[in-house]
Amino acid sequence: MHEMAITQSVVDAVCEHAEGRRVHCVRLEVGALCAVVPDSMQFCFELATAGTVAEGARLDVDVRPGAARCRTCGENFLLPDLILLCPCGSADVEVVAGRDLKILSMEVS
């Protein structure tokens, strides 16, 4: 389960930036092509925050669809999953979005 390693990295970054302040909420944007399961990430977040300034914080995960550009026909299209095929049938596509994971914001006091 790679979600634990990813979530631990997020928690480490959040706790470092919180500088000792209490974290109440963390908002993430996750690309659909990251192969991250949001429910697993929620579970891992509870474990990773135990004993930290983020313990008990809420995790909001916003999953964004992937996007690609076909090198054959030039069309831009959404990728709901890792099947990299253009509607024209070509597999010669360039992924332009959906592989990133960003910490958008965090609420602290």
Side-chain angles (χ1 to χ4, degrees), residues 3 6-8 10-11 14 23-30 36-49 54-62 101-107:
E3 282 87 356
I6 293 168
T7 306
Q8 186 64 58
V10 168
V11 170
V14 163
V23 178
H24 300 284
C25 179
V26 176
R27 191 166 152 243
L28 300 180
E29 179 180 282
V30 178
V36 171
V37 178
D39 287 342
S40 294
M41 195 166 216
Q42 291 282 354
F43 175 76
C44 293
F45 187 76
E46 286 184 38
L47 296 175
T49 58
E55 185 169 9
R58 186 178 78 241
L59 177 65
D60 294 334
V61 180
D62 183 17
L101 186 146
K102 299 176 191 173
I103 300 172
L104 295 177
S105 64
M106 60 188 225
E107 218 176 274

Side-chain angles (χ1 to χ4, degrees), residues 33-96:
L33 306 180
C34 285
V36 171
V37 178
D39 287 342
S40 294
M41 195 166 216
Q42 291 282 354
F43 175 76
C44 293
F45 187 76
E46 286 184 38
L47 296 175
T49 58
T52 71
V53 295
E55 185 169 9
R58 186 178 78 241
L59 177 65
D60 294 334
V61 180
D62 183 17
V63 179
R64 296 294 184 164
R69 183 185 164 283
C70 180
R71 292 185 183 113
T72 303
C73 72
E75 175 148 356
N76 292 309
F77 59 97
L78 293 180
L79 288 169
D81 51 39
L82 291 170
I83 299 173
L84 304 178
L85 285 176
C86 177
C88 79
S90 174
D92 188 14
V93 300
E94 173 189 8
V95 175
V96 295

